[in-house]
Amino acid sequence: MQQLIDRIQRDGVIKPGGVLKVDSFLNHQIDPALSYDMAKEICALYEGEKIDKVLTIEASGIGLAVMTGYLLGCPAVFAKKGMSANISNDVYSAEVYSFTKKVTKQVLVSKEYLHAGERVLIIDDFLAKGEALNGLIKIAAEILQQRTGVVTNLDKEDEALKTI
Ligand code: 5GP
């Protein structure tokens, strides 16, 4: 998406360790107009498909997942990075190693919010080593008959991004 590439070139900062800082518009402060345009781009990829849920992982994927869910007319569900008092004990889980935090965490989705037979679109902000996406795919594969698709905004192997 050219608009996103332009924005990264303008506002992105490359940090040591191959981390691209996009805090000013994507994963700390969020530009709603850009997120909306990214969500429209994602929806165009799946035009005419029936999608029941958008699935992401906290926290950076949530904004985009909500925008996408809004446009698709379906709920957005996010995997939580750890147990909390307000999540039921009946959960799907997978281990995910964090590229930015360098720790492995158990990510959880309550069984209340994903059901067999649902068609799920998995979204995340970055694709680095694919750990987060693999965790979500594992959760989805455990229960779903059909996974509709997987989308990440920033694939670090993308040729266009390598030139930044
Ligand atoms: P992966 O699981 O694919 O190795 O890494 C993806 C996750 O790590 C994403 O959820 C994203 O939040 C974070 N991440 C990976 N690379 C970067 C990066 O260069 N910059 C930022 N801000 N986050 C990243």
Side-chain angles (χ1 to χ4, degrees):
M1 182 189 178
Q2 194 54 47
Q3 191 185 346
L4 182 56
I5 291 171
D6 292 345
R7 189 63 181 268
I8 292 166
Q9 282 175 328
R10 201 186 79 188
D11 296 333
V13 178
I14 296 171
K15 305 287 283 182
V19 172
L20 174 64
K21 190 170 177 291
V22 287
D23 285 28
S24 63
F25 59 95
L26 193 65
N27 56 22
H28 194 8
Q29 172 172 266
I30 298 174
D31 178 340
L34 177 65
S35 292
Y36 179 72
D37 286 345
M38 293 193 308
K40 279 198 294 192
E41 193 89 1
I42 292 167
C43 291
L45 293 174
Y46 295 96
E47 205 181 333
E49 301 242 16
K50 178 181 172 292
I51 294 172
D52 301 303
K53 298 274 164 70
V54 176
L55 176 64
T56 191
I57 184 164
E58 68 176 354
S60 308
I62 296 175
L64 183 63
V66 170
M67 289 274 183
T68 307
Y70 177 72
L71 290 174
L72 291 171
C74 71
V77 178
F78 63 92
K80 297 200 175 203
K81 291 178 179 162
M83 206 51 174
S84 67
N86 58 6
I87 186 168
S88 82
N89 286 327
D90 207 8
V91 293
Y92 300 105
S93 70
E95 283 199 343
V96 169
Y97 177 76
S98 166
F99 179 84
T100 45
K101 299 197 176 77
K102 310 290 179 209
V103 291
T104 299
K105 285 200 173 163
Q106 198 76 7
V107 303
L108 314 162
V109 175
S110 168
K111 291 189 177 176
E112 283 176 85
Y113 303 122
L114 289 179
H115 307 109
E118 285 183 327
R119 290 168 63 86
V120 171
L121 179 62
I122 298 173
I123 289 181
D124 200 9
D125 58 338
F126 270 88
L127 179 69
K129 304 287 179 203
E131 290 271 342
L133 278 179
N134 271 338
L136 294 177
I137 288 168
K138 203 175 143 210
I139 284 173
E142 212 183 313
I143 42 170
L144 307 172
Q145 289 170 4
Q146 199 168 5
R147 192 172 66 241
T148 299
V150 176
V151 177
T152 56
N153 291 306
L154 301 177
D155 179 348
K156 292 175 131 182
E157 295 305 311
D158 190 299
E159 289 307 317
L161 287 178
K162 279 183 181 168
T163 62
I164 293 173

Coordinates of all heavy atoms in Angstrom, one line a residue, residues 36-67:
Y36 N -8.0 3.5 8.8 CA -9.3 3.3 8.0 C -8.9 2.9 6.6 O -9.5 2.0 6.0 CB -10.1 4.5 8.1 CG -11.4 4.5 7.3 CD1 -12.5 3.7 7.8 CD2 -11.6 5.2 6.1 CE1 -13.7 3.6 7.1 CE2 -12.8 5.1 5.4 CZ -13.8 4.3 5.9 OH -15.0 4.2 5.2
D37 N -8.0 3.6 6.0 CA -7.6 3.3 4.6 C -6.9 1.9 4.5 O -7.1 1.2 3.6 CB -6.7 4.4 4.1 CG -7.4 5.7 3.8 OD1 -8.6 5.7 3.7 OD2 -6.7 6.7 3.6
M38 N -6.2 1.6 5.5 CA -5.5 0.2 5.5 C -6.6 -0.8 5.7 O -6.6 -1.9 5.0 CB -4.5 0.1 6.7 CG -3.3 1.0 6.5 SD -1.9 0.7 7.6 CE -2.6 0.7 9.2
A39 N -7.6 -0.6 6.5 CA -8.7 -1.5 6.7 C -9.5 -1.7 5.3 O -9.9 -2.8 5.0 CB -9.6 -1.1 7.8
K40 N -9.7 -0.6 4.6 CA -10.4 -0.7 3.3 C -9.6 -1.5 2.4 O -10.2 -2.3 1.6 CB -10.6 0.7 2.7 CG -11.8 1.5 3.3 CD -12.2 2.6 2.5 CE -11.2 3.7 2.4 NZ -11.6 4.9 1.8
E41 N -8.3 -1.4 2.4 CA -7.4 -2.1 1.5 C -7.5 -3.6 1.8 O -7.6 -4.5 1.0 CB -6.0 -1.6 1.8 CG -4.9 -2.0 0.8 CD -4.7 -1.1 -0.4 OE1 -5.4 -0.1 -0.5 OE2 -3.9 -1.5 -1.2
I42 N -7.5 -4.0 3.1 CA -7.7 -5.4 3.5 C -9.0 -5.9 3.1 O -9.1 -7.0 2.5 CB -7.5 -5.5 5.1 CG1 -6.1 -5.2 5.5 CG2 -7.9 -6.9 5.6 CD1 -5.9 -4.9 7.0
C43 N -10.1 -5.1 3.3 CA -11.4 -5.6 2.9 C -11.5 -5.9 1.4 O -12.2 -6.8 1.0 CB -12.5 -4.6 3.3 SG -12.7 -4.5 5.1
A44 N -10.8 -5.0 0.6 CA -10.9 -5.2 -0.8 C -10.3 -6.6 -1.2 O -10.7 -7.2 -2.2 CB -10.1 -4.1 -1.5
L45 N -9.3 -7.1 -0.4 CA -8.7 -8.4 -0.7 C -9.7 -9.5 -0.5 O -9.5 -10.6 -1.1 CB -7.5 -8.6 0.2 CG -6.3 -7.7 0.1 CD1 -5.3 -8.1 1.2 CD2 -5.6 -8.0 -1.3
Y46 N -10.7 -9.3 0.3 CA -11.6 -10.4 0.7 C -13.0 -10.1 0.2 O -14.0 -10.6 0.8 CB -11.5 -10.7 2.2 CG -10.2 -11.2 2.5 CD1 -9.2 -10.4 3.0 CD2 -9.9 -12.6 2.3 CE1 -7.9 -10.9 3.2 CE2 -8.6 -13.1 2.5 CZ -7.6 -12.2 3.0 OH -6.4 -12.7 3.2
E47 N -13.2 -9.2 -0.8 CA -14.5 -8.8 -1.2 C -15.3 -10.0 -1.6 O -14.8 -10.9 -2.3 CB -14.3 -7.8 -2.4 CG -15.5 -6.9 -2.6 CD -15.4 -6.0 -3.8 OE1 -14.2 -5.7 -4.2 OE2 -16.4 -5.6 -4.3
G48 N -16.5 -10.0 -1.2 CA -17.4 -11.1 -1.6 C -17.3 -12.4 -0.7 O -18.1 -13.3 -0.8
E49 N -16.3 -12.4 0.2 CA -16.1 -13.5 1.1 C -16.9 -13.3 2.4 O -17.0 -12.2 2.9 CB -14.6 -13.6 1.5 CG -13.7 -13.8 0.3 CD -13.0 -15.1 0.4 OE1 -13.4 -16.0 1.1 OE2 -12.0 -15.2 -0.4
K50 N -17.4 -14.4 2.9 CA -18.1 -14.3 4.2 C -17.0 -14.4 5.3 O -16.3 -15.4 5.4 CB -19.1 -15.5 4.3 CG -19.9 -15.5 5.6 CD -20.8 -16.7 5.6 CE -21.5 -17.0 6.9 NZ -20.5 -17.4 7.9
I51 N -16.9 -13.4 6.1 CA -16.0 -13.4 7.3 C -16.8 -13.2 8.5 O -17.6 -12.2 8.6 CB -14.9 -12.4 7.1 CG1 -14.0 -12.7 5.9 CG2 -14.0 -12.3 8.3 CD1 -13.0 -11.7 5.4
D52 N -16.6 -14.1 9.5 CA -17.4 -14.0 10.7 C -16.7 -13.3 11.9 O -17.3 -12.7 12.7 CB -17.7 -15.4 11.2 CG -18.5 -16.2 10.2 OD1 -19.6 -15.7 9.8 OD2 -18.1 -17.3 9.8
K53 N -15.3 -13.4 11.9 CA -14.6 -12.7 12.9 C -13.2 -12.2 12.4 O -12.6 -12.9 11.5 CB -14.2 -13.7 14.1 CG -15.4 -14.3 14.8 CD -15.9 -13.4 15.9 CE -17.3 -13.8 16.4 NZ -17.4 -15.1 17.1
V54 N -12.8 -11.1 12.9 CA -11.4 -10.7 12.7 C -10.6 -11.1 13.9 O -11.1 -10.8 15.0 CB -11.3 -9.2 12.4 CG1 -9.9 -8.8 12.2 CG2 -12.1 -8.8 11.1
L55 N -9.5 -11.7 13.8 CA -8.7 -12.1 14.9 C -7.3 -11.5 14.9 O -6.6 -11.5 13.9 CB -8.5 -13.7 14.9 CG -7.7 -14.3 16.0 CD1 -8.2 -14.1 17.4 CD2 -7.5 -15.8 15.8
T56 N -6.9 -10.9 16.0 CA -5.6 -10.3 16.1 C -5.0 -10.6 17.5 O -5.6 -11.4 18.3 CB -5.6 -8.8 15.8 OG1 -4.3 -8.3 15.7 CG2 -6.3 -8.0 16.9
I57 N -3.9 -9.9 17.8 CA -3.2 -10.1 19.1 C -3.0 -8.8 19.7 O -2.7 -7.8 19.0 CB -1.9 -11.0 18.9 CG1 -1.2 -11.3 20.2 CG2 -1.0 -10.3 18.0 CD1 -0.2 -12.4 20.0
E58 N -3.1 -8.7 21.1 CA -2.9 -7.4 21.7 C -1.4 -7.0 21.6 O -0.6 -7.9 21.6 CB -3.4 -7.3 23.1 CG -2.7 -8.2 24.1 CD -3.2 -8.1 25.5 OE1 -4.1 -7.2 25.8 OE2 -2.7 -8.8 26.4
A59 N -1.0 -5.7 21.6 CA -2.0 -4.6 21.5 C -2.0 -4.0 20.2 O -3.0 -3.4 19.8 CB -1.6 -3.6 22.6
S60 N -0.9 -4.1 19.4 CA -0.8 -3.2 18.2 C -1.8 -3.6 17.1 O -2.1 -2.7 16.3 CB 0.6 -3.3 17.7 OG 1.5 -3.0 18.7
G61 N -2.3 -4.8 17.1 CA -3.2 -5.2 16.0 C -4.6 -4.7 16.2 O -5.4 -4.7 15.3
I62 N -4.9 -4.3 17.4 CA -6.3 -4.1 17.8 C -7.0 -2.9 17.0 O -8.1 -3.1 16.5 CB -6.5 -3.8 19.3 CG1 -6.0 -5.0 20.1 CG2 -7.9 -3.4 19.6 CD1 -6.1 -4.8 21.6
G63 N -6.3 -1.8 16.9 CA -6.9 -0.7 16.2 C -7.3 -1.1 14.8 O -8.5 -0.8 14.3
L64 N -6.4 -1.7 14.0 CA -6.7 -2.1 12.7 C -7.8 -3.1 12.6 O -8.6 -3.1 11.7 CB -5.4 -2.5 12.0 CG -5.5 -2.9 10.5 CD1 -5.9 -1.7 9.7 CD2 -4.2 -3.5 10.0
A65 N -7.7 -4.1 13.5 CA -8.7 -5.2 13.5 C -10.1 -4.6 13.8 O -11.1 -5.0 13.1 CB -8.4 -6.2 14.6
V66 N -10.2 -3.6 14.6 CA -11.5 -3.0 14.9 C -12.1 -2.3 13.6 O -13.2 -2.4 13.3 CB -11.5 -2.0 16.1 CG1 -12.7 -1.2 16.3 CG2 -11.2 -2.8 17.4
M67 N -11.2 -1.5 13.0 CA -11.6 -0.8 11.8 C -12.0 -1.8 10.7 O -13.0 -1.6 10.0 CB -10.4 0.0 11.2 CG -10.0 1.2 12.0 SD -11.0 2.6 11.5 CE -10.2 3.9 12.5

